Amino acid sequence: MTDAGTADEAGDGSSPDGAPGRSGLVDRHIAFVEALRSAGLPVSLAEGLDAVGALTHLEWTDRSVVRAGYAATLVKKSSQRPTFDALFDLFFPRLVGEGSTTLDPDAEDPAAGRATDTARDGAEALEAFRDQLQEQLVGAAGEGDPADGGEGASEETLRRLAAEAVGRFGAMPGRTPGQTAFSAYQALRRVAPAELTGRVVDGLLAAGDSDAMEPGMRAYAERRAARGIGAFTRMVEDDARRRIAERKSPEHVADVAVRPAIDRVAFTSARRDDLEEMRRQIAPLARRLATRLAKQRATNGRGPLDFRRTVRASMSTGGVPITTRHRPKRPHRTDLVVLCDVSGSVAHFAQFTLLLTYALREHFGRLRAFTFVDRTTEVTAVLRPGRDPVEVMEELAASIQHAAMTGRTSYGSAFRTFREQYADALGPASSLLVLGDARSNYSDLALDDLRAMTNGIRGAWWLNPEHPRHWDTGDSAASRYAAVVPMVECRNLAQLGEFVQKVL
Amino acid sequence: MTWFTSPADATARLGAAGYLADEATATTAFLAGALEKPLLVEGPAGVGKTELAKSVARAAGADLVRLQCYEGLDEARALYEWNYSKQLLRIQAARAGEVDTGADGSAWQRTHDDIFTEEFLLTRPLLTAISREEPTVLLIDEVDKTDVEVEGLLLEVLSDFQVTIPELGTVTATRRPFVVLTSNAARELSEALKRRCLYLHLDYPDAEREREIVTAQVPELDDAVARQLVETVVRLRGLELKKAPSIAESIDWARTLVALEIKELDQAAITATLGAVLKHATDQARAVRELRLRA
């Protein structure tokens, strides 16, 4: 089945109200644009028209050309591209139904259906499939980078394997043959690609003639294996979405199953490859914020009136002060004190926030950073400028051990130890930033200590990585702390950037 | 004139001009020509954004007009400027003649009409590109470096291909140029600007394509060395570096290797020439450690 045929047929199928003469393409286009909008892409009417204009110039025989045409006209931010791709795959699917039969010549005909279910989906089949997947992952990672490579041959094979995984191991038979449902969760649980990591790493190390004991090589192989498995996981999810979209409607799936763009992914629910991507986003984000902060400061009003120069300037206008002269504004630099909860529940969030403040360091006069679980320790030395970010992350992770005595988060004792040991960190020019979910294991909150800390400083904020609807649930003392220090929701990179720009 | 007849044609002709475009790039370049819309290219430094504009010009036999953006760029540098000194000369020359003709105000009127003509207009890149009769590629480079106000100035040019000069009227393009804007995303461009453009995100290519690019740019390079080089660069990009090596840097590296007549990219050779690819001390240290090079 060709790709073009697929797109057209899918268009026909989804427009029940389409008159016989209509191809359904317009309906599909409009539905697609609608879905993009509800996924948060600001697609304007003019851009939609541009896309239609572009498509009239393009051939429909090549799916990737159509994708490129849509992408050029509708997606104006690279962070939105994954969302766009996911939706494009839903509305203009790669294939319909089982496409993977060609992969394995002696695989059963899917039309034969449930009669051969055991052969398609048994313990042996599963083991054979996992071997095949492992081989492919070793091959793909060896050839290059499956995550950001083009539509390479190895990626194509991996995609076919993903389709096969969903078709064989993710199928949940319905009452009649037409009602089979597919589950990415089930497919992933049974194929368990994550458990293959060790085997893929060994395979990679064996493929390259390198010393397997060398930690650097091993870390590199692990990273490649993790990326390959992450890509496979994503492909399985994509394929399951595609199949569900076929049975229900793409709109339905788009509403519930498409992941948000990377800067909208919540820190607390991020997956491993999301985290890697987020860390990559930190540096550009910091650079963008720095440019904006510098501009804001340059234009931020003018200083007090310079009387002498104003009078002198008024001489040329006969003593009438038409233009006023001002003293240059005194630049203020923020002394930032970051107090960061690094316990397991908020660890990801803490890492990003620390990394971002680290990246923005040159814009703060002084930065002192502290981490705590139930005891506060200083990590300022770790965040020395010009250091390698990976080392910084490793040392931060190591410093967590120093931050814990009992291993149970206690904001109260953290604030107390801060006041005992580092009271000198806070002065009239400092801003205090507390990062954490305010979950203190029902221990003493030391509200008075916190209040004393915020006394006489420039400002204090609390960034909470939880949605406000979870505040005050369980052991969260969010609103009690919020009464002392203004609390801001900060769940993703976008909100973090917004906060930095607005407040610091 | 049509710039390209199809995406395949774009691939072929850009290839002939020395630019190996992938499918998305070729399709988008074709669309930019077919729809006569400006093309906004974004991506990390050194992936061939500027080169794309130059290659389009080469492929289509058009001339390139370039506007390099920087902080503080203004109308006078981007659009047009009146040639004040020449206008002043004209006024003085008219005054000298005034004595003869017997002044009655009409001389002033003549001078006034006179000094706001095209003779006294200095065209800057944007106006130049619009008023040209020949096929033109207009490259607006690093548009993210400008101030937000300049973006507003670009809007009229980019949507209607016209420039309004209060004293002269509106200059409309007789032949629409092929406009390429490049950006490193140092700041978000305004929605209004983005809406008027087609968008293309260029990223590091996959290993296969990068090898093709390197061998096309540096034909003297040995095939085996090229493969090793690209492999190493891909591995370097996998590390968490401050600045990942770009295509431009791989090409520089290839040239370095050719110049040093290195036939085998072993660890010693990589260590010796690492400065061509990595420009931060910490990045180099990290690469040496991770690639098991001797420091």
Side-chain angles (χ1 to χ4, degrees), chain B residues 267-285:
Chain B
Q267 298 194 348
I270 295 180
T271 318
T273 54
L274 204 56
V277 237
L278 297 178
K279 314 286 171 69
H280 286 279
T282 48
D283 283 358
Q284 290 196 5

Side-chain angles (χ1 to χ4, degrees), chain B residues 211-277:
Chain B
R211 202 171 56 76
E212 284 170 19
I213 295 172
V214 169
T215 39
Q217 294 287 324
V218 191
E220 308 89 4
L221 192 70
D222 209 48
D223 255 4
V225 181
R227 195 166 301 117
Q228 287 174 324
L229 182 146
V230 168
E231 212 170 87
T232 316
V233 167
V234 168
R235 275 182 69 184
L236 286 174
R237 279 187 200 135
L239 305 177
E240 257 181 75
L241 298 175
K242 273 191 185 148
K243 170 71 182 80
S246 64
I247 306 177
E249 277 151 340
S250 331
I251 292 171
D252 281 349
W253 200 13
R255 295 218 170 99
T256 313
L257 295 179
V258 169
L260 294 175
E261 296 179 5
I262 291 172
K263 295 271 175 275
E264 166 78 39
L265 194 61
D266 52 13
Q267 298 194 348
I270 295 180
T271 318
T273 54
L274 204 56
V277 237

Side-chain angles (χ1 to χ4, degrees), chain A residues 40-387:
Chain A
L41 273 73
V43 179
S44 69
L45 184 60
E47 283 166 329
L49 289 174
D50 282 347
V52 175
L55 293 175
T56 56
H57 283 93
L58 293 172
E59 304 261 337
W60 276 86
T61 46
D62 192 344
R63 183 164 170 268
S64 52
V65 167
V66 174
R67 185 197 292 263
Y70 263 123
T73 45
L74 300 182
V75 188
K76 303 288 168 82
K77 235 188 211 178
S78 58
S79 66
Q80 293 164 344
R81 186 63 201 250
T83 314
F84 166 84
D85 278 338
L87 284 170
F88 184 85
D89 287 340
L90 283 184
F91 281 82
F92 303 94
R94 197 167 66 86
L95 42 80
V96 171
E98 297 279 339
S100 58
T101 42
T102 49
L103 186 72
D104 191 357
D106 52 8
E108 293 77 10
D109 181 13
R114 292 131 57 94
T116 53
D117 262 358
T118 43
R120 287 163 52 76
D121 180 12
E124 270 172 50
L126 185 62
E127 207 35 59
F129 179 81
R130 292 186 63 182
D131 286 342
Q132 208 179 343
L133 174 62
Q134 179 199 342
E135 215 169 276
Q136 184 55 33
L137 282 173
V138 171
E143 274 172 37
D145 208 322
D148 52 36
E151 296 266 315
S154 62
E155 187 183 326
E156 200 45 50
T157 321
L158 202 58
R159 207 173 276 285
R160 277 210 298 269
L161 278 176
E164 200 185 333
V166 176
R168 282 167 63 172
F169 309 116
M172 296 187 291
R175 247 172 265 119
T176 60
Q179 283 190 338
T180 309
F182 294 97
S183 152
Y185 173 74
Q186 187 176 330
L188 286 174
R189 194 173 52 86
R190 297 200 44 207
V191 178
E195 286 168 21
L196 289 174
T197 311
R199 282 159 65 182
V200 174
V201 170
D202 290 340
L204 281 173
L205 288 172
D209 48 351
S210 46
D211 186 0
M213 289 299 105
E214 178 66 38
M217 278 312 285
R218 189 153 191 99
Y220 176 57
E222 269 167 14
R223 207 153 41 219
R224 286 202 302 180
R227 201 170 298 167
I229 286 167
F232 178 74
T233 309
R234 243 160 235 247
M235 286 175 189
V236 167
E237 284 170 4
D238 286 350
D239 195 70
R241 272 205 298 274
R242 174 182 68 77
R243 287 172 198 255
I244 298 166
E246 230 167 76
R247 276 173 24 82
K248 304 198 170 164
S249 69
E251 290 88 342
H252 171 80
V253 183
D255 280 349
V256 294
V258 172
R259 288 180 65 78
I262 193 74
D263 60 350
R264 308 265 165 210
V265 175
F267 294 119
T268 41
S269 66
R271 299 186 298 196
R272 199 178 152 159
D273 46 346
D274 285 336
L275 289 176
E276 261 189 37
E277 181 56 33
M278 281 179 176
R279 273 167 66 170
R280 249 179 266 271
Q281 296 290 326
I282 282 277
L285 175 67
R287 207 183 43 195
R288 269 202 302 277
L289 286 174
T291 340
R292 218 181 302 172
L293 286 173
K295 284 228 170 86
Q296 260 178 16
R297 280 184 197 159
T299 57
N300 217 350
R302 28 189 203 179
L305 188 78
D306 187 334
F307 190 72
R308 285 167 63 101
R309 284 182 60 217
T310 307
V311 169
R312 209 175 297 148
S314 72
M315 293 306 173
S316 59
T317 48
V320 183
I322 286 178
T323 49
T324 56
R325 301 296 164 113
H326 298 262
R327 289 205 191 90
K329 205 175 176 193
R330 253 179 75 191
H332 82 259
R333 295 207 124 187
T334 317
D335 278 8
L336 200 60
V337 177
V338 183
L339 198 56
C340 192
D341 180 358
V342 286
S343 60
S345 60
V346 291
H348 293 322
F349 165 68
Q351 280 184 355
F352 284 111
T353 323
L354 277 175
L355 265 190
L356 185 70
T357 43
Y358 168 62
L360 280 172
R361 227 197 118 131
E362 51 192 287
H363 292 269
F364 304 114
R366 277 190 324 160
L367 169 74
R368 287 186 73 174
F370 302 87
T371 54
F372 65 85
V373 175
D374 56 2
R375 191 173 65 155
T376 309
T377 52
E378 177 153 15
V379 292
T380 311
V382 180
L383 300 173
R384 254 192 338 267
R387 289 194 56 186

Side-chain angles (χ1 to χ4, degrees), chain B residues 55-118:
Chain B
S55 307
V56 169
R58 276 201 299 276
D63 290 318
L64 184 77
V65 176
R66 179 169 181 166
L67 173 67
Q68 180 70 46
C69 296
Y70 51 86
E71 219 181 300
L73 177 83
D74 59 356
E75 214 177 19
R77 304 258 163 216
L79 271 179
Y80 66 89
E81 194 172 15
W82 290 107
N83 191 342
Y84 290 117
S85 38
K86 201 172 173 189
Q87 284 176 330
L88 210 62
L89 279 174
R90 175 72 187 83
I91 292 169
Q92 281 170 348
R95 231 182 242 154
E98 219 170 293
V99 186
D100 303 327
T101 52
D104 58 350
S106 64
W108 161 247
Q109 197 58 47
R110 270 204 307 282
T111 316
H112 173 265
D113 289 345
D114 238 28
I115 59 170
F116 289 109
T117 53
E118 293 198 17

Side-chain angles (χ1 to χ4, degrees), chain A residues 13 29 91 100 114-115 123 173 176 222 270 308 334 345 369 372 400 406 413 416 420 426 450 457 464 477 496 498:
Chain A
H29 166 80
F91 281 82
S100 58
R114 292 131 57 94
T176 60
E222 269 167 14
R308 285 167 63 101
T334 317
S345 60
F372 65 85
I400 293 176
T406 58
S413 82
R416 259 194 303 279
E420 280 161 19
L426 293 169
L450 183 63
I457 63 174
N464 192 329
L496 185 57
E498 235 168 74

